[in-house]
């Protein structure tokens, strides 16, 4: 029998991330039912479609178009007086629900809040009980994000994630008001993007013969070939799907290190006067690889052609070129590299890495884009106009911000979600430091050493999901959730200093949020530890004891 008298959710609904303010509740409730109309003003069309696809499906609501003048209306509008990603959600029994955003993105984030307010049923794809009304208390919520860059890196190079998994990841980012997907598309272990000018990048570079199981010191191997790649149409679909959710997809093409998959496909890209690059295969293990790109004009032209196609697929202002973990041993032994170094000032291997970065910084700038790279691009001199992903700690980001360069804070000691969540031996393939849900909740992206002017260069923060030991969607879910919810609150909400944050309130709200994740089918780590099927006994990790350094 239909639930005609559902219990409304509590005021605020255990919202994650926490909004700026909640005024209410009133005495009444607002019901969204079969007669509720959806009035979508200019600029809100994507959100209207999303609401029909999600709330309409979850509750069996038609949500027909309306004018906003009837008492039973879900009204969407843009008001430029609000911050671009800010919104106001007002629920009143006299007229329904109004979501007003400073721009289209603000309206969409307000719709995400509405979905949370309606309870876990709103996160299902079909109604559990036909005729069930969607009910929420009268209230007004005002909200806007702290940071413009609220991101997650997804490494699809180490373990390929099929397209549907990427689309699912975008939905999960949107549900947490995160707005950047940094897609790590190339590495030593695989090349995942179709480049039509260079078909061997995917014919050869997208496949490895076998895969190390666990940490690189593990004796275990998965002897099955592994690989895959996204066609250009796949990537257009991913980018369009993200844009409908007001998420920017930032592509990463790694240079000059992390490039063995490309060299395996096109041996002339490597240091041919040092090693036989024709013998190289796509790498099957983990770590820092010595096989790096040769500093030749041939290499530059090759990657210009690659990036030409990348720019045609990704409208993102930023293009990530890696720039990290580039061993210099082959360059020291290469006459070709040494001849190039002799042309530079200062004349050393660090300057050669900077030469690579500066070339593509200029090349991207000439095409209206901006280069972003890992903090190693500081070595040998920071490329003019480049932005920095500060991963080795805070130091690179601090140095960059003090020099007037934009920064995304993603220190591995704080927000690398491949790091283990507990010291228990039951944690599957334990990597790195213990980073609990509370540790992530107390992460602060803006270092106190920065002045207000310097802090303005911190674009935001990013949680990084490296997949060496995440070989399935189940493993991804376990490592990412629930910690991504804590990270989302750090990136969105205006929280007090880390020690003053009310973690108990956050865990209270997470009790409601777990039911949403359950409805979405997310295999998160339960608060009490891994379930039997989430464990990976016998697969060696690399746990690091003690508290992570604050560097």
């Amino acid at each position: 029998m239909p639930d005609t008298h559902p219990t409304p959710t509590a005021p605020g609904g255990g919202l994650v991330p926490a909004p700026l303010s909640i005024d209410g509740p009133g005495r009444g409730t607002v019901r969204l039912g079969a007669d509720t109309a959806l009035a979508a003003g200019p600029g809100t069309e994507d959100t209207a479609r999303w609401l029909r696809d999600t709330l309409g499906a979850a509750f069996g609501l038609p949500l027909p178009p309306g004018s906003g003048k009837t008492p039973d209306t879900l009204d969407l509008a843009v008001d430029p007086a609000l911050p671009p990603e800010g919104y106001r959600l007002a629920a009143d029994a006299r007229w329904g629900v109004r979501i007003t955003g400073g721009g289209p993105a603000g309206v969409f984030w307000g719709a995400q809040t509405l979905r949370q307010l309606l309870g876990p049923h709103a996160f299902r794809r079909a109604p559990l009980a036909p005729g069930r009304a969607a009910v929420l208390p009268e209230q007004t919520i005002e909200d806007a994000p702290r940071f413009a860059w609220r991101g997650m890196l997804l490494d699809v190079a180490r373990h390929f994630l099929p397209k549907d998994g990427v689309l699912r990841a975008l939905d999960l980012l949107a549900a947490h008001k995160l707005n950047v997907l940094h897609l790590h598309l190339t590495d030593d272990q695989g090349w995942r993007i179709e480049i039509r000018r260079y078909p061997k990048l995917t014919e050869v570079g997208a496949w490895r013969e076998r895969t190390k199981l666990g940490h690189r010191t593990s004796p275990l191997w998965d002897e099955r070939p592994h690989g895959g790649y996204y066609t250009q149409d796949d990537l257009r679909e991913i980018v369009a799907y993200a844009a409908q959710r007001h998420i920017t997809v930032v592509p990463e093409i790694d240079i000059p290190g992390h490039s063995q998959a490309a060299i395996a496909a096109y041996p002339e890209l490597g240091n041919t006067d040092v090693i036989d690059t024709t013998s190289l295969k796509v790498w099957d293990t983990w770590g820092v690889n010595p096989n790096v790109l040769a500093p030749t004009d041939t290499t530059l032209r090759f990657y210009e052609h690659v990036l030409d196609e990348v720019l045609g697929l990704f409208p993102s202002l930023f293009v990530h070129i890696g720039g990290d973990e580039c061993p210099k041993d082959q360059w020291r032994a290469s006459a070709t590299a040494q001849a190039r170094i002799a042309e530079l000032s200062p004349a050393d291997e660090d300057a050669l890495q900077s030469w690579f970065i500066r070339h593509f910084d200029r090349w991207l700038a000439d095409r209206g884009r901006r280069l972003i790279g890992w903090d190693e691009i500081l070595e040998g001199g920071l490329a003019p106009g480049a932005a920095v992903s500060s991963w080795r700690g805070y130091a690179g980001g601090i140095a960059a911000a003090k020099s007037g360069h934009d920064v995304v804070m993603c220190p591995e000691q704080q927000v690398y979600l491949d790091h283990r969540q507990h010291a228990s031996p039951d944690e599957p393939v334990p990597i790195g430091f213990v980073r609990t849900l509370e540790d992530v909740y107390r992460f602060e992206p803006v270092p106190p050493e920065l002045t207000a002017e310097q802090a303005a260069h911190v674009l935001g923060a990013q949680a990084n999901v490296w997949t060496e030991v995440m070989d399935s969607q189940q493993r991804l879910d376990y490592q990412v959730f629930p910690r991504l919810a804590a990270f989302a609150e750090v990136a969105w909400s205006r929280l007090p200093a880390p020690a003053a944050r009310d973690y108990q309130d956050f865990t209270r709200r997470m009790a409601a949020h777990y039911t949403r994740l359950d409805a979405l089918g997310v295999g998160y780590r339960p608060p009490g530890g891994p379930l039997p099927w989430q464990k990976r006994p016998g697969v060696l990790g690399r746990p690091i004891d003690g508290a992570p350094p604050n560097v």
Side-chain angles (χ1 to χ4, degrees):
M1 183 174 180
D3 183 1
T4 55
H5 298 286
T7 302
T9 56
L15 295 176
V16 177
L20 278 172
S21 68
I22 301 175
D23 182 15
R27 293 185 177 181
T29 60
V30 178
R31 299 166 60 89
L32 303 180
D35 296 328
T36 300
L38 178 55
T44 72
E45 295 84 0
D46 281 346
T47 299
R49 280 191 293 270
W50 181 86
L51 283 166
R52 290 191 176 99
D53 289 344
T54 54
L55 296 189
F59 293 103
L61 302 179
L63 296 176
S67 66
K69 297 179 180 179
T70 60
D72 187 8
T73 303
L74 175 51
D75 189 22
L76 310 178
V78 170
D79 180 359
L82 296 172
E85 289 192 276
Y87 67 88
R88 180 187 305 111
L89 186 154
D92 191 297
R94 294 171 296 177
W95 34 257
V97 178
R98 292 176 184 164
I99 299 174
T100 307
V107 177
F108 183 71
W109 304 132
Q112 293 292 341
T113 295
L114 173 63
R115 191 187 194 188
Q116 289 197 18
L117 291 171
L118 293 172
H121 298 306
F123 291 80
R124 297 192 178 274
R125 298 185 184 183
L128 299 186
R132 179 192 295 271
V135 181
L136 68 159
E138 293 184 311
Q139 59 195 296
T140 300
I141 297 173
E142 301 268 358
D143 204 5
R146 179 185 180 190
F147 292 110
W149 186 301
R150 307 180 302 280
M152 186 186 84
L153 175 143
L154 182 59
D155 169 15
V156 296
R158 271 54 176 268
H159 277 103
F160 178 66
L161 186 65
K163 181 193 69 178
D164 284 353
V166 178
L167 300 179
R168 176 179 183 265
L170 288 166
D171 282 332
L172 291 171
L173 293 185
H176 293 83
K177 298 186 175 73
L178 297 172
N179 68 345
V180 175
L181 176 64
H182 173 172
L183 205 54
H184 184 76
L185 289 163
T186 73
D187 216 296
D188 301 303
Q189 297 85 2
W191 184 284
R192 307 295 179 214
I193 171 174
E194 178 191 21
I195 301 298
R196 290 174 177 167
R197 184 170 184 141
Y198 299 117
K200 289 182 181 178
L201 286 171
T202 45
E203 291 171 2
V204 175
W207 309 94
R208 59 178 181 262
E209 294 179 353
R210 63 176 187 169
T211 299
K212 175 65 70 173
L213 272 181
H215 185 252
R216 62 181 176 271
T217 58
S218 166
L220 303 177
W221 293 89
D222 183 342
E223 297 292 348
R224 297 172 298 175
H226 176 84
Y229 65 93
Y230 309 109
T231 68
Q232 293 201 0
D233 281 347
D234 289 338
L235 291 166
R236 290 186 183 95
E237 179 185 357
I238 287 167
V239 168
Y241 193 85
Q244 290 171 350
R245 287 147 182 79
H246 300 277
I247 296 171
T248 298
V249 182
V250 175
E252 180 179 356
I253 305 295
D254 240 319
I255 57 172
H258 288 287
S259 298
Q260 184 162 317
I263 297 169
Y266 291 92
E268 64 271 23
L269 298 175
N271 294 284
T272 57
D273 58 346
V274 177
I275 63 164
D276 177 12
T277 56
T278 63
S279 68
L280 295 178
K281 298 180 179 181
V282 178
W283 212 25
D284 57 10
T285 189
W286 320 121
V288 179
N289 189 301
N291 297 302
V292 302
L293 297 175
T296 64
D297 291 343
T298 296
T299 300
L300 296 184
R301 298 295 88 76
F302 183 96
Y303 276 87
E304 288 172 359
H305 296 151
V306 166
L307 289 169
D308 267 331
E309 296 193 32
V310 169
L311 297 190
L313 297 169
F314 296 91
S316 165
L317 173 63
F318 287 97
V319 175
H320 208 292
I321 49 71
D324 65 318
E325 296 182 328
C326 179
K328 312 293 194 297
D329 293 344
Q330 290 186 359
W331 290 347
R332 293 187 183 98
S334 166
T336 299
Q338 291 301 310
R340 180 72 75 179
I341 288 171
E343 302 171 2
L344 305 175
S345 179
D348 60 19
E349 285 74 23
D350 282 345
L352 188 54
Q353 180 164 340
S354 181
W355 170 83
F356 262 107
I357 304 305
R358 287 174 182 270
H359 175 85
F360 287 102
D361 178 60
R362 292 190 298 269
W363 189 91
L364 288 167
D366 288 345
R367 289 154 181 80
R369 307 296 184 97
R370 291 186 63 187
L371 180 148
I372 186 168
W374 303 111
D375 54 53
E376 283 95 330
I377 68 174
L378 292 161
E379 297 169 5
L382 188 62
V388 169
S389 299
S390 189
W391 78 273
R392 291 181 294 181
Y394 287 102
I398 292 169
K402 286 184 174 181
S403 299
H405 293 269
D406 289 338
V407 177
V408 175
M409 284 294 185
C410 49
E412 65 167 328
Q413 302 87 351
Q414 313 298 328
V415 287
Y416 268 34
L417 299 186
D418 52 327
H419 283 213
R420 59 194 172 133
Q421 303 181 65
H422 196 276
S424 167
D426 287 337
E427 288 300 304
V429 201
I431 298 293
F433 296 102
V434 172
R435 292 287 83 193
T436 66
L437 183 66
E438 181 172 1
D439 291 330
V440 175
Y441 189 66
R442 298 194 189 280
F443 165 59
E444 173 49 50
V446 179
E449 296 94 325
L450 298 181
T451 67
E453 182 179 359
Q454 293 162 351
H457 286 290
V458 179
L459 300 176
Q462 184 170 285
N464 290 348
V465 182
W466 300 104
T467 62
E468 288 94 334
V469 299
M470 293 181 235
D471 55 3
S472 66
Q473 180 175 290
Q474 183 187 65
R475 285 286 292 122
L476 275 169
D477 280 3
Y478 182 90
Q479 291 298 132
V480 171
F481 292 98
R483 292 183 295 180
L484 192 71
F487 172 81
E489 183 145 315
V490 168
W492 177 278
S493 305
R494 286 166 172 77
L495 299 177
R501 292 175 188 173
D502 190 346
Y503 180 67
Q504 294 306 310
D505 175 69
F506 176 71
T507 57
R508 177 190 62 79
R509 288 181 284 114
M510 278 302 297
H513 199 62
Y514 285 123
T515 65
R516 300 176 190 127
L517 296 178
D518 287 333
L520 285 167
V522 176
Y524 57 85
R525 181 190 189 274
L531 298 167
W533 54 86
Q534 293 174 319
K535 300 175 184 179
R536 294 291 295 275
V539 182
L540 184 68
R542 186 181 64 93
I544 304 175
D545 294 329
N550 187 17
V551 294

